[in-house]
Each structure stands twice: as structure tokens, then as C-alpha cells.
Amino acid sequence: MSIILTSMADTITTYAQIGNPTPEAPPLSDKIMQMVQYLTWFMILSGVLAITVAGGKFAWEKWNGSAMESPKMIAGAMIGGVVATSGGTIMNAILS
């Protein structure tokens, strides 16, 4: 019985000695990072464009005296911008 326990203890000790592997970037990570940078640039550009269009529509509605729908567009663009820019920070907080 003691031989079996000794054998099991050696096996457990061997498994406990396996260390943590060091992280390594995947093969196409540089291309993926470039795509993420392009998407970030596109999100910033589309946010600026959305706020500009909504501001122009706001002025047009104010000038014509029609129903005010553009404040919702401006609020939506600003909320979308906050979500888009804070996404990286939120993911870093979750993964850390």
C-alpha cells in the first residue's frame, strides 16, 4: 500500500511543477491591431460627422420652426461616442 501512495505522491508533485506559460502574440496579431486602429479611426470620423449633421439639422429645424428631432440625434451621437471610446477601458478593467 505504501508503494502506491509513494507513486501517487510523485505523480502529483510532477504535475505541480508545471509552470505558467508566457503569453505569445498570435501569428497575424500585427494585422489585427492595424484593423482595430482603422476601425477606431472610422468610429471617430463617423461620430464627428454625426454630430455635425445633427447640428446642421438642429439649425435648420430652428430656422424653419419645425418639430425639434435633432436634439435626440445629438444625444445619441454623444452617447455612442462615449460608449465607443470607453470600450477599450472597460475591456481592460474586465480582463485585468
Side-chain angles (χ1 to χ4, degrees):
M1 184 75 167
S2 66
I3 295 173
I4 295 173
L5 292 176
T6 306
S7 174
M8 288 177 61
D10 290 340
T11 305
I12 292 171
T13 304
T14 304
Y15 287 135
Q17 292 175 359
I18 297 174
N20 277 338
T22 57
E24 184 178 328
L28 296 175
S29 63
D30 56 338
K31 299 292 182 186
I32 294 171
M33 286 305 297
Q34 186 177 16
M35 184 184 71
V36 168
Q37 290 171 349
Y38 286 159
L39 289 174
T40 303
W41 179 84
F42 179 73
M43 289 298 296
I44 291 170
L45 180 66
S46 63
V48 169
L49 183 65
I51 290 175
T52 304
V53 168
K57 187 174 180 185
F58 182 72
W60 181 260
E61 290 171 353
K62 189 81 166 165
W63 188 55
N64 283 337
S66 60
M68 299 296 275
E69 297 176 6
S70 57
K72 294 177 195 173
M73 291 174 60
I74 293 173
M78 293 204 160
I79 290 171
V82 167
V83 169
T85 55
S86 64
T89 306
I90 293 170
M91 288 305 294
N92 281 337
I94 291 172
L95 296 177
S96 299

